[in-house]
Amino acid sequence: NKKGYPHFMLKEIHEQPEVVNKGIARYMKDSQIYFGEEFEKIDFSKIDNIVIVACGTAYHAGLQGAYFLKKLAGIKVDVEVASEFRYSDPFINEKTLAIFISQSGETLDTLMAMKLSKELGATTLAITNVLGSTISREADIVLYTMAGPEISVASTKAYTAQVALMYMFAMYMGIKNKKISIEEYNEYMRTIAEFSDRIEVALENKEKIHELAKKIKDCRNGFYIGRGIDEKIAREGSLKMKEITYIHSEAIAAGELKHGTIALIEPGTLVVVVATQKDMIEKMVSNIKEIKARGGYVIAITKENYSQVLEVADETIFIEDINDMLAPLLTVMPLQLLAYYTAVEKGLDVDKPRNLAKSVTVE
Ligand code: F6R
């Protein structure tokens, strides 16, 4: 049931405010993060390294999660693509907490990576959306993303739920490691509690984004750039675009542009710029100028207080002024909508893009 929306993807995009609320509520007890009895049994004193393994969009959620863990809990985390993991001689032992992120809980590469990690002695934690899925049954501990069924092949709400859950996990670890104070923890909790309203606001840009989609629908190529956490979200935006619009797109760290990719920028080349991080905003403005000097067409996503971006980009989409770490949770909304409306304008089968399956149960 599409509940009046033309596609499941648009319906699922609009479910994100509620999904974040539900996801948070599921793991709160007496205003504190509580992941349940099984989780509390993990002996964190014996864990000295964390690895996150996943595929596609879930891998991108893992990249966000690693960033949160580093910032909030001071933990260095390796994030690996599941299909590579088994063949990479991974450093896994009894002191490893191995986290597997999977919407379906059936992705075979992710499952095989989990089995190997178990054999090597790791504690395995699954983050999945499907109760009773294979990955949830095989893992030592499971946390559910509570996003509800996701029908569209392109993942949207499951991703947001995964990122929100990783944020909670990082806060939990931050308190445990005494890397964040109770005051900071309360402040972060307040921010996340208000998050669903902010997502609603981010989705209000949809008419404008629809107009932009009409302009870019005939592009053959596009680039997505960002720095720091914005580079990770650029990857997700690029994947969404390519999988449902078939426009070839590539995400790169903005600083890497001049090491090769800038050779491809010619008049009209689409470049989506994600620029939300305060300490890197001037560098991003320079990047936009470099692209403009070669005739590129720049759509920038930035925070409402960065007028310097508005001055140099062709088109600017604003998100609310939120703390830098959480900006990706809002930035992904316009990126999803841009891919969605571009596919609609191209007349493509948005919910079932060619050659793709909702869950990949072959290696
Ligand atoms: C992209 C997308 C895929 C999945 C990937 C992993 O929109 O949906 O990249 O994220 O196939 O699937 P799960 O999360 O089910 O393991």
Side-chain angles (χ1 to χ4, degrees), residues 54-59 101-107 110 135 150 152-156 158 162 236 239-240 243 356-360:
C55 301
T57 285
Y59 169 73
I101 308 178
S102 175
Q103 187 285 130
S104 61
E106 301 297 341
T107 302
T110 309
I135 286 175
E150 194 179 57
S152 162
V153 165
S155 181
T156 54
Q162 287 158 356
E236 175 56 11
L239 178 61
K240 270 320 69 108
E243 70 174 329
L356 291 172
K358 185 64 186 162
S359 65
V360 182

Side-chain angles (χ1 to χ4, degrees), residues 53-271:
V53 186
C55 301
T57 285
Y59 169 73
H60 296 154
L63 294 175
Q64 301 281 347
Y67 183 90
F68 295 149
L69 282 161
K70 189 168 157 192
K71 286 267 176 187
L72 294 173
I75 304 172
K76 179 187 168 296
V77 181
D78 291 317
V79 193
E80 307 268 356
V81 167
S83 57
E84 291 290 322
F85 182 76
R86 272 194 298 153
Y87 311 102
S88 65
D89 297 324
F91 284 108
I92 301 283
N93 53 39
E94 308 72 43
K95 295 180 175 168
T96 308
L97 174 67
I99 304 176
F100 300 85
I101 308 178
S102 175
Q103 187 285 130
S104 61
E106 301 297 341
T107 302
L108 195 57
D109 279 318
T110 309
L111 177 64
M112 296 312 274
M114 179 187 276
K115 286 191 170 158
L116 174 65
S117 304
K118 267 189 152 174
E119 274 162 38
L120 296 172
T123 302
T124 55
L125 168 65
I127 293 187
T128 180
N129 198 37
V130 180
L131 270 74
S133 55
T134 312
I135 286 175
S136 74
R137 279 185 275 113
E138 296 274 337
D140 295 321
I141 304 132
V142 191
L143 298 179
Y144 288 105
T145 39
M146 309 298 290
E150 194 179 57
I151 310 294
S152 162
V153 165
S155 181
T156 54
K157 62 174 181 172
Y159 168 82
T160 297
Q162 287 158 356
V163 175
L165 191 50
M166 286 308 298
Y167 180 68
M168 290 179 82
F169 176 65
M171 273 196 288
Y172 176 94
M173 294 301 289
I175 282 283
K176 210 175 225 350
N177 287 358
K178 300 192 172 58
K179 288 282 176 197
I180 51 175
S181 63
I182 293 291
E183 291 74 28
E184 283 170 313
Y185 172 83
N186 289 336
E187 178 56 33
Y188 290 136
M189 286 309 292
R190 250 196 309 280
T191 320
I192 191 91
E194 291 166 0
F195 222 76
S196 62
D197 295 341
R198 288 164 180 265
I199 294 178
E200 295 279 9
V201 174
L203 294 173
E204 280 167 15
N205 279 316
K206 74 180 183 188
E207 294 311 320
K208 177 170 184 182
I209 295 169
H210 195 164
E211 289 309 310
L212 288 180
K214 290 179 188 164
K215 292 192 190 172
I216 66 169
K217 73 177 180 26
D218 295 318
C219 287
R220 290 179 51 82
N221 299 298
F223 296 94
Y224 283 69
I225 64 168
R227 288 173 188 260
I229 190 83
D230 285 343
E231 186 254 335
K232 317 283 180 251
I233 202 76
R235 296 196 206 194
E236 175 56 11
S238 170
L239 178 61
K240 270 320 69 108
M241 182 62 85
K242 74 176 85 164
E243 70 174 329
I244 62 170
T245 70
Y246 317 143
I247 293 173
H248 170 249
S249 89
E250 190 184 334
I252 59 163
E256 279 288 288
L257 253 188
K258 48 178 139 339
H259 298 286
T261 307
I262 202 162
L264 295 167
I265 309 292
E266 48 184 23
T269 305
L270 169 66
V271 184

